[in-house]
């Protein structure tokens, strides 16, 4: 059977679409950039939860993949991910049972998780100990998480970090201290200050934690893992963390997840900032993710109703923008980037587009939307479609959210 | 094997939980209410997309189920839903092919859809005609959709409604006019006006459309279907539409979807309004949907971080509220309704709870959250858990979003 084509209406709308050529370029460019910077890449895979993309990332050279809850770890293991960075505190009894069983079952499986409190470390160690012969059979690698005041998890000061690391040491042989972690993406400029300054301060705090733990000889691995880095500020992470010197070798790891698909909002702006900060030394990344919908109604002269809504794209970083218009039955793709189409509102299944009087669209036409944030758009789809530059489907991409 | 229990941590958190006893009461009460009012109930099933709940609704006496896009209709048919009200314009080629094939294959299958433009009607008829022997083999039932200025789909005036109905008549035998539809939930009070007034005006507009089409003898079915009604204003729908008299019998149909689970925000407020408006003649409905999470961190005295985030609950109608606290390893459930816990923020996988200094919670404790809107919380879960009053799982409820 001929491969389905989006523009020919072979599939029902709305559709979540990934442009294969763009994705491949982003994959290669970000991997090359990481290698040139001498850092490991362990992309946050909660963004896509798509094994077809996991495989591409690992094949391209990713050190491992990052996940953030137990359901994600189960999906990753079910699809053969060999090295998991769990960018979260490991607390739940069912999750600890699962991770322990996987570590015992598969000697090749590597797993790292975070801790930010003595209570959390003791609970984790106690729960592992209680598993007895059902335990992991080897120490679980734990990183101390550093956090920002008023933000999320993570110790707020070096003294607490030392207490947490000492608790990890005391929990041997169940736990082993592997490094220091933080997420600089939560740093917000306060009182009109400069965000870069706050982020650098936070990264210096992570380095200070690493130094304090190193001075007390609390690390349990030959190399110390230092990791931060979402998709917006990784240049600063590389700059600060690769300059951190300890008594033993360090390895800096980025966890950027959105480089693969990029977007038309949040990370597009972040990328522009990155290029400005680095004098274009940051990789060129392009948006690969589109949501295709159909014009259902033109109920008023300046209003189009499309067949995609908040069940189909995220709005947490702003509404999607209008990218492309294809007249029903036609091949020609018209760019809408400067056409003055804006999304006025969205309901569950509909987007309400405010359009100029000469919009030229009719019922049955196709419209591509560019989401503002991949994380909250990927998770709307059980299957996305990888397409070539003519929008013929080259692969179905199931997700496991 | 013993049934898993939520409070015993048999399953990994976070969890989407439905309280079976509450759900059953809501199911019975709303069905009885509809029957007493002499209206059909065809619940909007896009809210839950859960066949286990579809079956309960149909068994309780629902006339059919309502859906809003092609993927939903496919899921419904795969799970044997015999009567589908498609509360949307049917436009896409792939969707029309699917519906036609189902109508041809299964003589018991009943399907209704909407139209709001002559262009849409002609496109639908043309696409059905083009199917030839692959066509539905009987007329597709279409309702004219009435809409609100500035809102979504639907004709804005009676004259256009007549043109659309005439186009449907001209498209015989492919199409047959079955009634008039609208969604009053989109009516918003303008300029400080009274919402009830706007809603009543809109419902009167739907009645006026029905009258105009009846006067022109454009209906093609022995009974005329008049339908509106989300879950917030169904009392007004019943009041206005059941008083509409045409030359042939009418049947009023509600499409409320949220009565089944209710919520702790949007529909809780709507229900209070309903009770006030009707002098408590509206059904007593209680919230059945909860999201259970675990305390991952207490990084600051007034801050708890929970293991559920915007990937696990909707925020479009406000953040969830804190319902229940269960200390790790304990059975006792403490209500948080007046405990002063509020969700300050949520990220993908975490909720940031602002709590008073004497919050009494620790890492590993369990917390139940009450979502503000079921539609955007159900769709976060591939499986929800139906539980008894002790939070033992009685049934897994897979969803098909």
């Amino acid at each position: 059977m001929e491969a389905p084509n989006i523009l020919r209406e072979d599939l029902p709308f709305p559709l979540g679409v990934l442009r294969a050529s763009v994705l491949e370029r982003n994959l290669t460019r970000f991997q090359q950039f990481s290698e040139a910077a001498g850092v490991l890449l362990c992309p946050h895979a909660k963004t896509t939860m798509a094994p077809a993309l996991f495989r591409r990332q690992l094949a391209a050279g990713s050190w491992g993949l990052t996940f953030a809850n137990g359901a994600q770890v189960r999906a990753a293991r079910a699809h053969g991910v060999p090295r998991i960075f769990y960018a979260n505190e490991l607390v739940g009894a069912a999750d600890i049972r699962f991770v322990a069983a996987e570590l015992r079952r598969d000697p090749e499986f590597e797993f790292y998780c975070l801790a930010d409190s003595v209570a959390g470390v003791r609970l984790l160690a106690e729960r592992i100990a209680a598993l007895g012969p059902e335990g992991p059979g080897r120490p679980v690698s734990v990183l101390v998480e550093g956090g920002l005041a008023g933000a999320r998890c993570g110790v707020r000061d070096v003294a607490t970090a030392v207490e947490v690391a000492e608790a990890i040491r005391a929990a041997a042989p169940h736990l082993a201290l592997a490094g220091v972690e933080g997420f600089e993406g939560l740093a917000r400029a306060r009182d009109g200050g400069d965000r870069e300054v706050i982020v650098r301060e936070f990264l210096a705090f992570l380095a200070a934690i690493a130094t304090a733990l190193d001075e007390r000889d609390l690390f349990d691995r030959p190399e110390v893992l230092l990791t931060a880095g979402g998709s917006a500020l990784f240049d600063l992470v590389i700059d600060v963390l690769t300059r951190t010197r300890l008594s033993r070798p360090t390895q800096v790891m980025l966890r950027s997840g959105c480089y693969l698909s990029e977007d038309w909002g949040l990370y597009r702006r972040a990328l522009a900032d990155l290029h400005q900060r680095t004098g274009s030394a940051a990789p060129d990344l392009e948006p690969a993710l589109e949501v295709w919908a159909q014009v259902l109604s033109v109920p008023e002269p300046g209003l189009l109703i499309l067949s995609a809504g908040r069940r189909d794209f995220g709005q947490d970083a702003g509404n999607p923008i209008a990218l492309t218009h294809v007249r029903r039955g036609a091949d020609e793709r018209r760019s809408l980037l400067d056409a003055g189409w804006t999304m006025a509102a969205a309901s569950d299944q509909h987007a309400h587009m405010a359009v100029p009087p000469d919009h030229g669209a009719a019922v049955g036409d196709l419209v591509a939307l560019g989401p503002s944030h991949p994380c909250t758009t990927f998770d709307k789809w059980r299957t996305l479609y990888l397409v070539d530059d003519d929008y013929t489907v080259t692969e179905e991409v199931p997700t496991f959210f």
Side-chain angles (χ1 to χ4, degrees), chain A:
Chain A
M1 211 179 79
E2 209 183 348
N5 182 281
I6 305 298
L7 309 186
R8 218 165 49 204
E9 286 198 56
D10 291 335
L11 296 169
F13 293 92
L15 290 164
V17 168
L18 289 164
R19 301 195 55 191
S21 58
V22 178
L23 204 78
E24 290 297 330
R25 283 197 292 274
N26 290 347
L27 187 67
T28 307
R29 287 175 185 169
F30 203 81
Q31 188 67 42
Q32 286 172 346
F33 168 80
S34 305
E35 287 171 14
V39 300
L40 300 173
L41 177 61
C42 185
H44 211 318
K46 65 139 183 152
T47 301
T48 73
M49 286 309 294
L53 304 181
F54 300 172
R55 282 191 291 276
R56 283 175 169 78
Q57 291 175 307
L58 292 170
S62 287
W63 176 76
L65 293 170
T66 299
F67 296 92
N69 71 21
Q72 292 170 7
V73 170
R74 282 169 181 75
R77 289 300 290 164
H79 292 90
V81 176
R83 191 185 275 127
I84 289 178
F85 190 87
Y86 188 70
N88 211 344
E89 276 55 31
L90 183 63
V91 171
D95 293 332
I96 293 170
R97 277 196 302 275
F98 177 79
V99 167
E102 285 294 287
L103 285 168
R104 195 176 62 250
R105 188 181 65 73
D106 177 3
E108 305 292 311
F109 177 38
E110 285 186 44
F111 179 84
Y112 299 76
C113 66
L114 309 182
D116 73 349
S117 68
V118 172
V121 169
R122 286 186 185 150
L123 180 60
L124 175 59
E126 184 184 301
R127 288 184 156 177
I128 291 173
L131 292 172
E134 307 289 307
R138 48 191 159 122
V140 172
S141 297
V142 182
L143 290 82
V144 173
E145 176 163 33
L148 283 143
R152 216 158 63 187
C153 300
V155 299
R156 293 343 192 204
D157 52 65
V158 173
T160 309
V162 170
E163 289 170 19
V164 174
E166 286 168 344
I168 293 169
R169 168 62 56 85
H174 301 304
L175 307 180
L177 182 64
V180 177
E181 185 273 355
F183 177 44
E184 77 296 337
L186 295 167
R188 298 274 169 253
R190 288 178 296 261
D191 308 325
D194 186 338
R195 191 179 183 200
E196 182 177 337
V197 172
I198 313 281
V199 169
R200 285 185 179 276
E201 273 172 18
F202 175 65
L203 293 164
F205 168 58
L206 298 184
I209 292 175
T211 302
L213 305 191
D214 184 50
E215 283 168 2
R216 287 160 183 81
D217 198 24
L218 289 166
F219 288 113
D220 286 317
R221 303 291 195 200
E223 272 196 340
V224 175
L225 204 53
L226 302 177
T227 170
S231 303
L233 302 152
F234 49 80
D235 57 322
L236 305 179
V237 173
I238 292 168
D239 187 36
V240 178
L241 294 189
T242 59
R243 287 191 283 112
T244 304
R245 297 281 168 267
L246 304 180
S247 70
R248 56 181 89 193
T250 59
Q251 184 57 260
V252 174
M253 189 185 89
L254 298 182
R255 305 192 306 275
S256 321
C258 295
Y259 73 92
L260 194 58
S261 69
E262 283 290 300
D263 64 32
W264 296 88
L266 196 60
Y267 289 107
R268 191 172 179 79
R269 292 189 293 272
L271 190 67
D273 290 347
L274 262 159
H275 279 280
Q276 193 165 33
R277 256 195 325 264
T278 63
S280 294
D284 276 321
L285 302 169
E286 306 154 66
L289 178 60
E290 302 175 351
V291 172
W292 281 78
Q294 196 152 31
V295 178
L296 295 181
S297 180
V298 191
E300 297 173 19
L303 181 64
L304 295 181
I305 307 298
L306 304 183
S307 66
R310 65 180 163 214
R311 286 269 174 98
D312 308 303
F313 49 72
Q315 298 176 278
D316 60 298
N319 284 328
I321 62 168
L323 297 179
T324 314
H325 171 214
V326 178
R327 295 217 61 148
R328 177 168 60 85
D331 269 342
E332 200 192 341
R333 305 199 289 268
R334 171 167 78 108
S335 170
L336 295 173
L337 289 178
D338 298 312
W341 293 32
T342 57
M343 193 177 294
S347 40
D348 275 11
Q349 248 76 52
H350 300 89
H352 311 207
M353 305 297 295
V355 292
D358 61 341
H359 57 77
V363 172
D365 289 1
L366 306 181
V367 175
L369 301 170
S372 59
H373 184 189
C375 292
T376 52
T377 297
F378 268 99
D379 69 354
K380 303 294 187 288
W381 300 95
R382 295 211 180 181
T383 302
L384 291 111
Y385 294 90
L386 204 64
V387 299
D388 67 17
D389 291 341
D390 295 323
Y391 288 86
T392 296
V393 174
T394 58
E395 189 176 333
E396 291 192 13
V397 179
T399 65
F400 293 84
F401 286 97

